[in-house]
Amino acid sequence: MIRVLFATSEVYPLVKTGGLADVSASLPEALCRLEYDVQILLPGYPDAIKAARKAGSRRKARFQLGQYNVSLWQTRLPGTAVTLWLVDCPPLFDRPGNPYKNEEGRDWWDNAHRFELFGKVGAMIAMGEAGLNWRPDLVHCNDWQTGLIPVFLEAYQERPGTVFTIHNLAYQGLFSNETFRALGLPDTLWRFEQLEFYGQLSFIKGGLVFSDRITTVSPTYAREIQTPEFGNGLDGLLRHRQHALTGILNGIDTRVWDPEEDQELAFHYGRDHLKNKAQCRAALQHELGLEVNGAPLLGFIGRLVEQKGVDWIVSVMPDLLEQGCQFVILGSGEDRYEEPLKQLARQWPGQFSLTLGYNEGLSHRITAGCDLFLMPSRFEPCGLNQMYSLRYGTIPVVHGVGGLADTVQDPQQVGIDKANGFVFAGASAASLLTAIHRALQVFEKRKQWRRLQENGMAIDYSWKQRARTYGDLYQGILKERDQQQLD
């Protein structure tokens, strides 16, 4: 049985800011079902420590790292049999709210110190130096917060294999040279081919340079990040390591996201019995104060930031509202997007519902109740919401980038019998509006619309096959390391 330490900065349901949390919960569990011994390593945020104590967990190890006293708690990821290790260091992790930002939305001033310590603990566990009765064959690191683990492991000849997954290359963990020196990292790492990035320390480069393999969360995004447009300054390094780079599409938890059994829905339906989807629609309209009628209902769930194309949505909404369309938006983000949306909500009561913040139950009801789901992201490494919407018979309208291009097929490209949504190529509000208008034309043709729904709902979006692909990758890494040691 291959033992894997899965290091991540968030995991659902303990802490979530985005898709990383969903992947960090679903992938380890899927791998465990394939008989891999995957154990998760997570910073000891307050809610996570509280949940561990409530579950009767105890500290399994204590040690000192620099000025900090560190404890390791062993527990289970709620609702699963997956082992979860919590790095308990109250001065660094015992903080309310967002794991990376303070109440004013600014990065915690000591994020570099927090995740450097997290990286050191990950390396200690990987090398059997943390006092645990378990040592992994491989460490799977996720995003910049874990980027220093492969750096610390590089010093060991008998280290485990390493894989680093890029969930979003736009977030790189950049800090000053002063921070680099304050962390006490070796001067030899301050080189452009290692951790230095245009005069800054880059945590993510640790994972990209020092890991045995790099993965990202869709095949198209793996190609895109090797170009200047999507590479965020790291495209040259990724082209250099393209032999080690693989795109593996994310999956979704099809037990949680299942319209036939979803506990958040009052009415259930499936591919062969779609009738109750209309009931979900009416229930959502009633819940959110929208007119209960047959007008096209368009939804969006996500961060209100530039990446997600929210400005394009704001631009097209007045025209579509004038035509009688309804909108439901759930999310939070920057004031420059929240304010115009608030104004539109005041101008169009009964047609537009805006919920700022995040509500897991409401996200399920929006996914089930809407006719169209908008994902006009400027870039999208994978995206999960389009897969949720496809599974729920809600037709996605997406920008043809990253994982959106890998999961949504447009009638203009493949014909109505194989299509499951609408894709636009131009990065503009006008292109989004054209795609929505095409979708609304098909919406009026009930048989064609039903075919799109059935096509989307027929696809297997589960982690089962994706987990096998990761398992094959793990085995390949370990075989190569065994061969290197023999040589």
Side-chain angles (χ1 to χ4, degrees), residues 162-178:
T162 51
V163 58
F164 183 84
T165 296
I166 305 164
H167 295 265
N168 192 333
L169 193 61
Y171 299 96
Q172 300 182 359
L174 299 178
F175 304 95
S176 67
N177 177 260
E178 290 77 14

Side-chain angles (χ1 to χ4, degrees), residues 180-391:
F180 173 86
R181 302 204 173 280
L183 293 176
L185 295 169
D187 288 342
T188 53
L189 292 172
W190 191 259
R191 292 155 52 187
F192 78 90
E193 63 268 41
Q194 297 199 2
L195 300 187
E196 187 270 335
F197 181 74
Y198 296 98
Q200 293 181 290
L201 161 65
S202 170
F203 271 52
I204 203 169
K205 280 189 74 176
L208 302 182
V209 171
F210 290 96
S211 291
D212 296 318
R213 287 287 184 274
I214 304 165
T215 71
T216 191
V217 291
S218 71
T220 295
Y221 192 58
R223 294 189 294 271
E224 288 174 344
I225 58 178
Q226 297 179 57
T227 68
E229 182 181 1
F230 295 97
N232 295 95
L234 293 166
D235 50 289
L237 170 58
L238 290 162
R239 286 194 299 274
H240 175 69
R241 295 217 66 201
Q242 62 182 296
H243 64 283
L245 173 62
T246 306
I248 303 173
L249 192 69
N250 280 339
I252 62 174
D253 189 332
T254 52
R255 295 166 303 169
V256 174
W257 291 91
D258 179 3
E260 296 196 75
E261 297 185 3
D262 192 328
Q263 297 301 305
E264 302 293 346
L265 306 183
F267 305 93
H268 297 101
Y269 60 95
R271 181 171 179 252
D272 299 324
H273 49 104
L274 271 163
K275 186 176 179 181
N276 272 356
K277 183 167 168 52
Q279 297 284 77
C280 291
R281 188 176 186 279
L284 179 67
Q285 290 171 318
H286 181 75
E287 176 184 357
L288 297 178
L290 301 176
E291 293 179 22
V292 181
N293 58 31
L297 180 55
L298 289 71
F300 171 87
I301 301 169
R303 291 178 291 119
L304 304 179
V305 295
E306 183 179 29
Q307 177 206 335
K308 298 298 183 180
V310 179
D311 52 326
W312 298 342
I313 294 176
V314 172
S315 295
V316 305
M317 281 180 67
D319 179 60
L320 293 164
L321 288 163
E322 288 280 0
Q323 295 175 34
C325 292
Q326 295 183 350
F327 280 84
V328 176
I329 290 181
L330 169 65
S332 62
E334 300 174 24
D335 287 343
R336 59 176 170 155
Y337 302 122
E338 289 188 2
E339 289 306 317
L341 287 171
K342 288 178 185 176
Q343 185 175 348
L344 283 168
R346 289 191 292 268
Q347 291 174 345
W348 297 90
Q351 268 185 260
F352 173 34
S353 168
L354 173 65
T355 303
L356 296 177
Y358 187 72
N359 182 312
E360 186 74 16
L362 180 57
S363 73
H364 283 245
R365 294 189 291 279
I366 290 172
T367 303
C370 285
D371 300 302
L372 290 172
F373 194 92
L374 306 182
M375 287 189 73
S377 305
R378 283 177 166 82
F379 68 93
E380 192 63 66
C382 177
L384 298 176
N385 281 319
Q386 86 277 13
M387 287 189 272
Y388 298 151
S389 69
L390 286 165
R391 183 157 169 77

Side-chain angles (χ1 to χ4, degrees), residues 6 47 127 273 308 338 400 463 472:
F6 192 94
D47 288 348
M127 296 309 303
H273 49 104
K308 298 298 183 180
E338 289 188 2
W463 271 107
D472 292 342

